[in-house]
Amino acid sequence: MKFLSIALLLCLVGVGRSESDYDIVAVEDESAATPSGATEEEYRYYGAVESDNDARYTQAPSTEPKPMRQILDVDRWDVEDVVDEEENEDGVYHVFDDEIVEAMQEDVIPELCYLTSDNITIYNSYLLDRHCLEEFESVSPSCRGFKCDVAHYFLEHGAGIMMRVLDASSIKEGIEMIHREVSEVFEKLDMCTCGREFLKAAFKCAPFYSGNALFTDDNEDLVIAYGRVMRNVDVKSAAKVFDRLMTGLCAESSSGLCVDSIFNGLEELADMIMNTVDDYEDYDDGDRKYQKSQEKRCDAVFASTRAWNKDEGVDGEPYSEETWEELLNVTSAVTGAFYCEKKCKKSRGVMYPCCLRRMLDDDKMFDNVVRVVESVFKILPAMNYNFEWSGFYEMDSSFYRHEYSREDLAEIMAWTVSDRLRDAFMRTIHPAKYCEGKQLLRCSK
């Protein structure tokens, strides 16, 4: 039997504009009180605090929609745990909680900004180790302060960015906020040069990382698991994927950089999704003739909704190759219905910038993606709790008896990403390439 599991690492660095740009926001006083007897749901939604005898609300519920909080499943308690409000003559603004500020100022920033490969010891470091510091110091001189700049930007602007995104009044506004901040990241931190060099250095030292952060709370299992994974997963190919991805995002486009063109497309897509949500009840109640007319709309995504709903579900064993292939066939039908509608070429073009097309046509990048996926798949059995050796070339019998047979392991080690699976994946993420005839979509500059 064959199994498939895809491991995805997503690193998000939040940085933003200066406070004078737009960190200061007007906030109305929402203080209110309520009698005891609040339900658990009310506590969660309104940010109630419990005393010995009653429940009091620190803030009344907001009447403004905050869809980004719903999408990210963030409530007021989550926010209040990490962000505080402060006020000056310009109004109310947001800063990180005192504990976060203290940790950044006293621990993180000194280590990232002042620790070097010459003065580091096992007793004065936590996040970094000597090998990684040597790699970070090997970047070009103008980029050696990158990790320090990231720490300062996060401390100074992270809370404001977080609240602007979470308090956006619509999905489109939330994406616009993220777009604005990401553009600032790329410009202020020179992500296209220094960020790219830093990622290369991080990937290079990752397999041999042994910082004290791995050894907290007597967590020896974490140390063993980290070393086993990072020394067997194809980290070199992963580094090549991220490097080629950064090259694509930094390519010039009519919007500035390719990353800007991609976000412009996402903003347009957000409008289409909201149009679909607003009119979905009428669509669902209408007859098939009415539904077909809605599916031809270029300002909505009813055709993609139809493609998703007509599928009867994905059968098969979880994580099997057949299950993944079946799922990707469904998702490729959804994206194909969106990009290959011949009447909607003009409105779809903004969501298919030429720089994105070049990224998706980069076979070398996806060759490396395949190598990473295959290496992750082959290490999964070794992450099992019962993975133990009893001697030379012989694993503990309980591993074979309860987890994987020798035949299973042989099949796993021989597994490769099939052409069919790769094709289904590419049809999902690059559907415009597979539009035919009059449905052919040209990219936008």
Side-chain angles (χ1 to χ4, degrees):
M1 172 181 289
K2 296 181 180 179
F3 303 90
L4 176 62
S5 178
I6 298 177
L8 175 64
L9 174 65
L10 178 63
C11 299
L12 176 64
V13 178
V15 300
R17 301 174 184 264
S18 64
E19 186 173 282
S20 60
D21 286 332
Y22 52 74
D23 273 359
I24 306 299
V25 295
V27 177
E28 295 181 4
D29 181 14
E30 295 181 336
S31 59
T34 187
S36 61
T39 66
E40 182 177 350
E41 181 179 0
E42 289 170 335
Y43 269 70
R44 178 174 174 81
Y45 185 79
Y46 298 125
V49 290
E50 186 177 8
S51 67
D52 292 336
N53 300 315
D54 64 352
R56 301 187 309 278
Y57 292 89
T58 56
Q59 291 181 319
S62 170
T63 58
E64 297 298 322
K66 296 179 179 178
M68 297 301 291
R69 294 197 183 202
Q70 297 174 358
I71 292 172
L72 299 174
D73 191 26
V74 175
D75 59 32
R76 290 191 177 181
W77 275 10
D78 296 324
V79 173
E80 291 168 0
D81 282 343
V82 296
V83 175
D84 291 332
E85 290 181 355
E86 293 190 2
E87 186 174 1
N88 59 21
E89 63 275 7
D90 297 316
V92 175
Y93 61 100
H94 297 99
V95 296
F96 280 120
D97 177 82
D98 288 343
E99 292 184 3
I100 297 177
V101 173
E102 182 179 351
M104 290 294 297
Q105 291 179 338
E106 297 185 5
D107 300 317
V108 177
I109 288 177
E111 183 163 344
L112 295 183
C113 295
Y114 307 118
L115 208 58
T116 70
S117 58
D118 292 326
N119 62 24
I120 186 175
T121 72
I122 195 172
Y123 305 108
N124 67 358
S125 59
Y126 180 72
L127 298 174
L128 300 174
D129 65 2
R130 186 182 305 278
H131 179 61
C132 284
L133 271 173
E134 289 173 345
E135 293 296 340
F136 294 147
E137 292 168 359
S138 70
V139 302
S140 57
S142 61
C143 294
R144 289 175 187 169
F146 177 80
K147 64 184 186 301
C148 180
D149 294 338
V150 169
H152 279 291
Y153 266 84
F154 174 78
L155 176 60
E156 293 170 12
H157 308 294
I161 296 168
M162 173 181 169
M163 295 309 300
R164 283 190 293 277
V165 172
L166 292 178
D167 289 345
S169 61
S170 66
I171 296 176
K172 182 177 182 179
E173 183 182 326
I175 294 175
E176 289 173 345
M177 288 290 181
I178 296 173
H179 180 190
R180 192 180 303 172
E181 303 303 341
V182 169
S183 295
E184 286 293 306
V185 170
F186 273 72
E187 179 183 352
K188 296 284 182 70
L189 292 181
D190 194 8
M191 288 295 295
C192 294
T193 300
C194 295
R196 187 178 169 189
E197 289 189 27
F198 180 84
L199 281 174
K200 284 183 178 181
F203 274 108
K204 196 171 181 180
C205 79
F208 312 101
Y209 173 73
S210 60
N212 286 321
L214 288 177
F215 297 86
T216 55
D217 299 326
D218 297 325
N219 197 358
E220 295 88 353
D221 291 340
L222 175 62
V223 180
I224 296 172
Y226 177 85
R228 184 176 293 163
V229 169
M230 297 306 294
R231 287 168 176 76
N232 288 278
V233 168
D234 194 342
V235 178
K236 289 184 178 179
S237 292
K240 293 177 182 178
V241 171
F242 276 88
D243 187 57
R244 299 183 83 92
L245 185 63
M246 286 296 297
T247 300
L249 293 175
C250 292
E252 293 184 0
S253 72
S254 59
S255 301
L257 298 179
C258 189
V259 65
D260 296 307
S261 295
I262 293 172
F263 269 105
N264 288 338
L266 289 174
E267 291 163 15
E268 294 297 321
L269 179 60
D271 272 341
M272 296 178 185
I273 292 175
M274 293 312 301
N275 290 338
T276 306
V277 172
D278 292 341
D279 297 338
Y280 188 80
E281 186 174 351
D282 292 338
Y283 169 83
D284 195 40
D285 292 339
D287 56 23
R288 188 66 195 116
K289 181 178 180 181
Y290 175 76
Q291 289 180 345
K292 286 183 177 179
S293 68
Q294 295 299 294
E295 289 161 12
K296 293 179 180 179
R297 287 174 54 180
C298 296
D299 65 340
V301 292
F302 285 109
S304 295
T305 303
R306 171 75 177 176
W308 178 262
N309 289 338
K310 70 186 296 185
D311 180 74
E312 296 181 356
V314 177
D315 299 321
E317 293 197 30
Y319 311 119
S320 70
E321 182 174 333
E322 291 76 13
T323 299
W324 279 105
E325 186 177 340
E326 188 177 350
L327 175 61
L328 289 171
N329 285 334
V330 174
T331 55
S332 63
V334 171
T335 56
F338 179 80
Y339 276 99
C340 298
E341 173 53 57
K342 61 183 179 181
K343 295 183 179 180
C344 300
K345 291 182 179 180
K346 291 184 179 180
S347 62
R348 299 298 188 259
V350 69
M351 281 160 280
Y352 188 47
C354 292
C355 60
L356 176 60
R357 186 201 67 187
R358 290 191 292 270
M359 289 173 60
L360 296 174
D361 277 338
D362 186 355
D363 288 336
K364 290 185 178 180
M365 181 171 72
F366 289 103
D367 288 343
N368 284 303
V369 171
V370 167
R371 294 186 187 103
V372 173
V373 171
E374 291 173 349
S375 68
V376 170
F377 178 78
K378 292 173 183 178
I379 191 62
L380 289 179
M383 303 311 298
N384 188 278
Y385 179 78
N386 287 319
F387 182 80
E388 294 180 357
W389 289 86
S390 57
F392 283 103
Y393 311 112
E394 186 67 29
M395 277 179 282
D396 188 85
S397 60
S398 61
F399 178 80
Y400 290 129
R401 185 168 59 251
H402 299 298
E403 307 300 340
Y404 297 87
S405 68
R406 290 176 174 82
E407 292 74 17
D408 289 336
L409 288 180
E411 189 173 358
I412 288 171
M413 294 307 295
W415 180 83
T416 58
V417 174
S418 67
D419 291 339
R420 292 196 320 275
L421 194 61
R422 179 166 176 168
D423 181 70
F425 175 73
M426 294 307 301
R427 286 178 180 273
T428 294
I429 66 169
H430 194 190
K433 180 179 180 178
Y434 299 90
C435 299
E436 298 177 352
K438 294 182 179 180
Q439 296 177 330
L440 185 64
L441 179 65
R442 296 185 182 277
C443 64
S444 62
K445 296 181 180 181

